Amino acid sequence: MGEILRNAREIKGWSLQELQGYCGLPASTANSIENGFVTKIQADTLETLRVALEPQNPETGKTYTLGELYELMLVKEEISNGIKAKK
């Protein structure tokens, strides 16, 4: 999820501070999401980022829907939990 959001921000040419100015999400929070330190993102925060950044789905060429991003986040969490459970 973080990589998708970072790529979208970089495509727009925005710094973390510019993103903060646009949508109000603290730059430190956005940085934590982009770097994978925050993996459970509240739906309203994810929607704010989605609207601001308009991340593109490479398979469709369209902006990801909130549902698609949420599903990606859940799949990533399941994979991470599966790896942790096997240890």
Side-chain angles (χ1 to χ4, degrees), residues 10-34:
E10 290 175 349
I11 287 170
K12 286 191 170 274
W14 289 357
S15 67
L16 289 168
Q17 290 73 25
E18 288 170 317
L19 176 62
Q20 178 177 338
Y22 184 84
C23 68
L25 183 71
S28 60
T29 301
N31 185 55
S32 293
I33 291 169
E34 287 184 359

Side-chain angles (χ1 to χ4, degrees), residues 4 9-10 16 25 32 39 41-42 55-56 65 74-75 77 79-80 84:
I4 291 169
R9 180 178 58 78
E10 290 175 349
L16 289 168
L25 183 71
S32 293
T39 56
I41 307 168
Q42 292 183 354
Q56 300 295 305
T65 66
L74 292 177
V75 168
E77 183 180 351
I79 291 169
S80 295
K84 289 177 187 174

Side-chain angles (χ1 to χ4, degrees), residues 24-81:
L25 183 71
S28 60
T29 301
N31 185 55
S32 293
I33 291 169
E34 287 184 359
N35 288 304
F37 298 120
V38 174
T39 56
K40 293 182 182 179
I41 307 168
Q42 292 183 354
D44 59 338
T45 300
L46 190 56
E47 177 65 357
T48 297
L49 288 168
R50 187 191 73 80
V51 169
L53 297 173
E54 301 173 318
Q56 300 295 305
N57 182 330
E59 294 177 13
T60 65
K62 296 180 180 180
T63 301
Y64 280 105
T65 66
L66 177 60
E68 289 170 332
L69 289 176
Y70 196 74
E71 186 176 323
L72 288 170
M73 184 176 61
L74 292 177
V75 168
K76 171 93 172 147
E77 183 180 351
E78 287 174 5
I79 291 169
S80 295
N81 287 340

